[in-house]
Amino acid sequence: VESNTIVCNTASSACGNGGRWEDTLLLLRMIAERDLQPDEYTFNAGIGACRRGSEWERASCVFSVMAHSRVNCITMSLNASISAYQKAGKWEKALQLFSSSTVDACRDGSGTITFNAAISA
């Protein structure tokens, strides 16, 4: 099977759902090394895997890379990042992200979930 973004996203998501955040991050690195174009699902898989693995610093790093790339941010990624902070007890960072200008770029009409994620932190 030829590696492409969709195949890598699917594998990344499966690894993350299986608790293998390290493998998810390796696949994200592979996407970059093979000059494939990451999309919002690529980054969301990485953020979600790190959140589930209690790796809030890594989730934050993936979100930061996404925010500085040409990829459209989706609310799901923002919510997963806020949730990673919440899970780690980093409510200050969750609220800092929530109040940042990045939030405006990520809003896609699902603001209620984002507000709830921030409140839960």
Side-chain angles (χ1 to χ4, degrees), residues 50-60 80-94 120-121:
C50 292
R51 177 187 55 81
R52 284 185 290 282
S54 299
E55 295 291 329
W56 69 269
E57 291 171 314
R58 287 182 171 86
S60 177
S81 296
I82 291 172
S83 180
Y85 288 134
Q86 180 266 332
K87 189 174 180 181
K90 303 292 181 184
W91 63 268
E92 301 96 339
K93 292 205 173 280
S120 295

Side-chain angles (χ1 to χ4, degrees), residues 19-98:
R20 298 177 60 141
W21 62 267
E22 302 97 334
D23 292 332
T24 299
L25 295 182
L26 286 173
L27 285 163
L28 295 179
R29 182 174 294 144
M30 184 185 83
I31 288 171
E33 290 172 353
R34 294 192 179 182
D35 292 326
L36 299 173
Q37 295 300 313
D39 59 20
E40 60 269 24
Y41 302 104
T42 307
F43 290 109
N44 194 60
I47 294 166
C50 292
R51 177 187 55 81
R52 284 185 290 282
S54 299
E55 295 291 329
W56 69 269
E57 291 171 314
R58 287 182 171 86
S60 177
C61 182
V62 174
F63 185 83
S64 180
V65 170
M66 180 182 69
H68 290 96
S69 71
R70 295 181 183 160
V71 173
N72 290 330
C73 179
I74 57 174
T75 301
M76 190 183 319
S77 299
L78 175 64
N79 294 345
S81 296
I82 291 172
S83 180
Y85 288 134
Q86 180 266 332
K87 189 174 180 181
K90 303 292 181 184
W91 63 268
E92 301 96 339
K93 292 205 173 280
L95 293 178
Q96 182 181 20
L97 177 59
F98 177 75

